[in-house]
Amino acid sequence: MPARDFFFFCTSLPPAELRAVGALSKVRHLPAGATIFRPGDAGSEFYIINRGLVELLPESAHNRGEAATFLSRGDIFGELEVLTEGLRTDLARARQAVSLQCFEREHFDELLQRVPTFFRFLCQDLARRLGQVRAAPVLPAQQTLQLSGTLAHFDLVTIYQTIVHSSQTGRLSIRCEDGHPMAGFHFVSGQPRTGHFLHLHGEEALWQLFLAEDLTGTFSFAAGEQEPAEPSHHPPIARAANDLLFNAIRNRDEFQAL
């Protein structure tokens, strides 16, 4: 979740504007498995996730083998079709029970008048995600994935899913701003198998990494890098990549709720 997401933005609003955001949007609660929209649906509203996990699956996914994208607390989706008055091109469904803040197109004029900074925030979020897409490598067949960047520009969920979708073997390294190693995870065919975060190892390390707030530093993923030898008492990571992500996000949401 980006450090300056919707919830951070709301803390910057004066009370009158914060009340306007609540009055000009609505909250929807959906159970796990519920469909939010399908390809071909009209784009009349967009959503910000308050709690839970949403899966976005492109219309062409079944034909091209494209992987789903998973969104969590603070993520925005569905806004492009609303702004362009186009039809949905993705299937969006709840992978966990979700709470969504919904913004309908018919309220945009009043929202712009009462909370003018909201649309600046929306444009900044769109620009941030466009920058991530443009910076991400496009991989022809047989080409190896090489990723690097700063945690200020890429959130951990995006980094993790990029590696999982690539189905490649290699090592993700995360370093502090001073260059010292902070975390490292080895992936085999896109599945995390071993890793550490600070003094933690295995699945607990991955969960705590997602719990960490305001991580700073750099990351890199080198495909083909060999797995370092782990002491025998360090637990391996056995669960599937998506299950690990679901659990990590659920733990993060529950921790934030507390």
Side-chain angles (χ1 to χ4, degrees):
M1 180 174 58
R4 294 183 177 272
D5 69 352
F6 173 68
F7 304 103
F8 182 94
F9 165 74
C10 286
T11 64
S12 70
L13 295 176
E17 293 188 4
L18 189 58
R19 287 194 295 270
V21 169
L24 296 171
S25 62
K26 60 184 178 183
V27 177
R28 290 179 62 188
H29 300 286
L30 298 172
T35 296
I36 303 166
F37 54 75
R38 295 181 174 86
D41 287 352
S44 58
E45 61 185 359
F46 72 90
Y47 309 88
I48 300 176
I49 303 174
N50 295 321
R51 185 183 66 254
L53 193 69
V54 170
E55 178 185 31
L56 283 184
L57 192 63
E59 185 177 16
S60 59
H62 295 296
N63 296 330
R64 300 180 185 176
E66 296 179 35
T69 296
F70 298 100
L71 306 176
S72 61
R73 175 177 165 84
D75 285 331
I76 303 172
F77 67 100
E79 76 279 23
L80 289 180
E81 296 91 346
V82 176
L83 295 172
T84 61
E85 300 187 11
L87 300 179
R88 303 294 191 189
T89 58
D90 296 334
L91 169 67
R93 59 190 173 195
R95 287 302 297 262
Q96 298 175 340
V98 295
S99 170
L100 303 174
Q101 200 77 25
C102 309
F103 295 84
E104 297 181 354
R105 186 192 296 121
E106 64 185 52
H107 294 147
F108 279 12
D109 289 343
E110 186 176 356
L111 190 59
L112 178 60
Q113 181 180 9
R114 296 175 62 180
V115 194
T117 56
F118 180 82
F119 285 90
R120 182 174 66 185
F121 157 75
L122 188 61
C123 290
Q124 288 173 337
D125 186 81
L126 279 168
R128 176 186 64 82
R129 285 182 284 147
L130 176 61
Q132 291 186 355
V133 171
R134 295 176 67 178
V138 177
L139 298 178
Q142 310 302 322
Q143 185 170 327
T144 57
L145 175 67
Q146 300 292 333
L147 284 176
S148 64
T150 66
L151 295 175
H153 296 145
F154 290 83
D155 61 272
L156 287 169
V157 173
T158 300
I159 298 167
Y160 180 87
Q161 291 189 109
T162 299
I163 297 171
V164 171
H165 291 176
S166 76
S167 299
Q168 295 199 23
T169 297
R171 184 168 178 79
L172 171 66
S173 300
I174 300 175
R175 295 180 178 273
C176 303
E177 290 184 332
D178 61 8
H180 284 87
M182 181 184 357
F185 293 89
H186 191 77
F187 291 76
V188 176
S189 300
Q191 301 291 317
R193 286 295 173 251
T194 62
H196 76 276
F197 172 50
L198 301 177
H199 64 285
L200 302 172
H201 294 267
E203 293 182 11
E204 185 180 6
L206 190 60
W207 295 340
Q208 291 296 327
L209 180 68
F210 281 104
L211 277 177
E213 293 285 346
D214 299 327
L215 280 178
T216 59
T218 62
F219 71 91
S220 62
F221 178 80
E225 185 171 321
Q226 294 298 312
E227 180 177 10
E230 290 279 352
S232 58
H233 62 278
H234 288 169
I237 300 174
R239 298 195 199 190
N242 285 340
D243 291 341
L244 288 166
L245 180 61
F246 298 158
N247 285 324
I249 291 174
R250 183 173 64 245
N251 290 342
R252 184 181 69 184
D253 287 350
E254 291 175 352
F255 179 79
Q256 289 169 340
L258 290 174

